[in-house]
Amino acid sequence: LYGNDSNAGTQAAPLRNPKTALDRVKANGTIVFRAGSYYNVELGSIRKNVTMQPFPHERVWIKGSIIVTGWVATGTIWKKTNWTTKFCQN
């Protein structure tokens, strides 16, 4: 992903975090995502009308999942130690 959350949130100076964009966009505004996969996205409750869309002719994937790396083979199984999960409480 590109951008910086201290930027203005324009096409020339994009934000990095979708949550930052959601916090800054005004009601009935639009958030435009550039192509790519956005993982571990936590937007929380959205309490205003907002349009979220991809940049024209680009594909966007927004996932709340976390990519877990560091798996180790132990015999015939794979395991990951020191990992905790956060399950949705809604």
Side-chain angles (χ1 to χ4, degrees), residues 12-43:
L15 299 170
R16 179 173 179 85
N17 188 326
K19 177 73 168 109
T20 304
L22 182 61
D23 290 344
R24 290 192 191 177
V25 69
K26 293 181 180 179
N28 301 310
T30 301
I31 299 171
V32 179
F33 291 88
R34 295 309 306 249
S37 295
Y38 297 78
Y39 292 98
N40 196 20
V41 174
E42 294 183 30
L43 296 176

Side-chain angles (χ1 to χ4, degrees), residues 61-73:
W61 294 96
I62 298 175
K63 300 179 69 77
S65 57
I66 300 169
I67 298 173
V68 179
T69 60
W71 293 91
V72 178

